[in-house]
Amino acid sequence: MQIGVYGAGYLGTVVSACLADFGTPVSCCHPDSSQMVAMAQGSVPFHEKNLTEVIKRNVRSGRLAYSTDIESFARKAQVIFLAEDSPQHLTDLAIRIARAAAKPPILSLVTPVPVGTASAIAQRIIEAGLRATIVSQPMFFTSGCAIEDFNWPDRIILGTDSNEAVLALKQIFHSLVMRGVPVIVTNHETAELVRESATAFVATKISFINELASLCEHVNADAVSLALALGLDKKIAPRCLQPGAGMGGLFAESDMDSLADLAQRNGVSLKILSAAREVNHGLADQVIEKISKCVQSVQNKDVGILGLAFKPNTNSVAGSSSMRLAKNLIAQGARVRAYDPVALPDARLELNGSVYYCESPYAAAEGVDALVVGTGWPEFRALDFNRIKQMLRRPLIVDTKNLLDSVRLRAMGFEYVGVGRG
């Protein structure tokens, strides 16, 4: 079966590479010829662990090809995954593909879309006198481990009433189905709502543990041990229950915005979602309060930030608590120095010249009043803290991810401040 993937952003690049890794011929299409050439050469415009290796392996084997000819692409592929990062022009794209296809195609919508989008596209295709089967297929990737998420998903969601489409997609994902990954077949609207609801639920879970972390600081409890104990309860589970980890990512805010808008339009009040978002957005202010408590005020102080990506193993700064922290520090009169292993180019686009960007974590620590761990990059654990102590104006480390060994650092003479820890 010839498979097509339309999209050259984050989703399209990951989906096309991973599908080809199943052993099936895949054609990835997008009109940007320079981007298609770069992809074919293994040059990915963002950082995602192991993705470049997967692309190169499948291009060499002939299973993964890149094209700019949408008409030829539509004629050859029986199943096409629409995997643009944005739903803009998605309807026009579906109609164009349906018109060019040799026979009615199966169009799987991977792009994050508001509830009602798939049904609206299906209706527009009918009104245009064309035929195509639309499937809502949300995929759940976490930046930095998207390859693992694709190959080891918790479930496969198929929003469609077409048995033919279900059989075709089960054939494509045969290795996952045979491994026992659950396949949930439902209607378009439910499938679309699953994605937004999952994002909102994770945000709620993260916000809950962060509120408890604040309580821990007042009652001499340890939030890390608390999270471990809660996570061992099978009704709760440990994933996304680490204090200090704010909710972020390429699609997180848009998912929650879309869900909140859907509720508002239908006269439904989602109080828990609103509270979770409020807590999530307030984490940066809490970090500034911690710093201010130690140095009196951040105004005219120098602060170093280690990590600007919203999580390790990605260059994405979308929804990053470190980025919010940098902006809030600057707004309150602080001078900010920052380092990140891969996210500095993206951070520069958003922060402009308001931050001094450093080429190493040691440069970020040079002469600052406080050093903040903003992203949980594992390499920060292995830093030479004797060297860092000599470089800091004040030996203060604020660890927003509880990444470092607090006992060791305090024994070395550091003033260590974690999240929810005594």
Side-chain angles (χ1 to χ4, degrees), residues 258-273:
S258 181
L259 184 58
D261 180 64
L262 177 68
Q264 184 178 31
R265 284 189 281 109
N266 285 275
V268 176
S269 176
L270 297 181
K271 296 179 181 178
I272 293 176
L273 175 61

Side-chain angles (χ1 to χ4, degrees), residues 257 264 352:
D257 284 343
Q264 184 178 31
N352 301 316

Side-chain angles (χ1 to χ4, degrees), residues 155 193-208 235-237 239-240 247 256 259 272-273 276:
R155 72 286 202 204
L193 190 56
V194 166
R195 179 189 179 93
E196 295 178 357
S197 301
T199 301
F201 192 84
V202 171
T204 302
K205 189 174 180 180
I206 290 172
S207 297
F208 179 74
K235 300 185 297 295
I236 298 174
R239 191 173 184 184
C240 301
M247 181 73 170
M256 289 189 283
L259 184 58
I272 293 176
L273 175 61

Side-chain angles (χ1 to χ4, degrees), residues 346-389:
D346 283 44
R348 281 190 176 97
L349 295 176
E350 192 170 327
L351 295 174
N352 301 316
S354 56
V355 168
Y356 182 82
Y357 302 98
C358 302
E359 296 301 316
S360 75
Y362 300 104
E366 183 75 47
V368 299
D369 298 281
L371 184 64
V372 179
V373 178
T375 306
W377 286 96
E379 65 190 65
F380 294 156
R381 291 194 184 100
L383 294 175
D384 182 347
F385 286 98
N386 283 312
R387 179 182 174 188
I388 284 179
K389 187 179 178 185

Side-chain angles (χ1 to χ4, degrees), residues 10 105 111 290 318 364 398 421:
Y10 182 82
T111 297
K290 291 176 185 290
V398 179
R421 313 197 77 179

Side-chain angles (χ1 to χ4, degrees), residues 154-394:
D154 297 315
R155 72 286 202 204
I156 297 171
I157 311 290
L158 302 177
T160 180
D161 58 4
S162 167
N163 289 330
E164 179 189 356
V166 171
L167 290 173
L169 287 162
K170 280 187 175 181
Q171 181 182 343
I172 292 171
F173 292 93
H174 178 74
S175 61
L176 303 185
V177 175
M178 291 300 292
R179 194 191 299 150
V181 174
V183 178
I184 298 174
V185 180
T186 184
N187 62 12
H188 291 314
E189 289 73 17
T190 305
E192 290 164 337
L193 190 56
V194 166
R195 179 189 179 93
E196 295 178 357
S197 301
T199 301
F201 192 84
V202 171
T204 302
K205 189 174 180 180
I206 290 172
S207 297
F208 179 74
I209 194 62
N210 277 312
E211 285 207 313
L212 288 178
S214 296
L215 178 62
C216 286
E217 292 173 0
H218 287 82
V219 299
N220 195 33
D222 186 274
V224 174
S225 297
L226 174 66
L228 176 61
L230 290 175
L232 290 174
D233 187 325
K234 58 181 175 291
K235 300 185 297 295
I236 298 174
R239 191 173 184 184
C240 301
L241 199 67
Q242 293 83 36
M247 181 73 170
L250 186 59
F251 305 110
E253 284 297 321
S254 60
D255 280 348
M256 289 189 283
D257 284 343
S258 181
L259 184 58
D261 180 64
L262 177 68
Q264 184 178 31
R265 284 189 281 109
N266 285 275
V268 176
S269 176
L270 297 181
K271 296 179 181 178
I272 293 176
L273 175 61
S274 298
R277 299 186 77 183
E278 183 180 347
V279 172
N280 195 52
H281 288 151
L283 292 175
D285 290 332
Q286 290 182 21
V287 174
I288 292 180
E289 287 176 14
K290 291 176 185 290
I291 300 171
S292 297
K293 189 175 179 180
C294 296
V295 299
Q296 280 71 58
S297 168
V298 297
Q299 187 172 10
N300 294 321
K301 297 295 194 308
D302 294 288
V303 179
I305 300 179
L306 299 182
L308 292 172
F310 88 92
K311 68 184 291 290
N313 299 314
T314 178
N315 67 320
S316 174
V317 297
S320 166
S321 57
S322 298
M323 293 290 285
R324 282 197 291 269
L325 173 63
K327 292 175 183 177
N328 291 1
L329 282 167
I330 292 163
Q332 294 190 33
R335 295 177 293 271
V336 175
R337 302 169 65 86
Y339 165 78
D340 190 281
V342 298
L344 290 186
D346 283 44
R348 281 190 176 97
L349 295 176
E350 192 170 327
L351 295 174
N352 301 316
S354 56
V355 168
Y356 182 82
Y357 302 98
C358 302
E359 296 301 316
S360 75
Y362 300 104
E366 183 75 47
V368 299
D369 298 281
L371 184 64
V372 179
V373 178
T375 306
W377 286 96
E379 65 190 65
F380 294 156
R381 291 194 184 100
L383 294 175
D384 182 347
F385 286 98
N386 283 312
R387 179 182 174 188
I388 284 179
K389 187 179 178 185
Q390 299 302 316
M391 303 177 81
L392 295 174
R393 182 175 297 143
R394 173 176 179 152

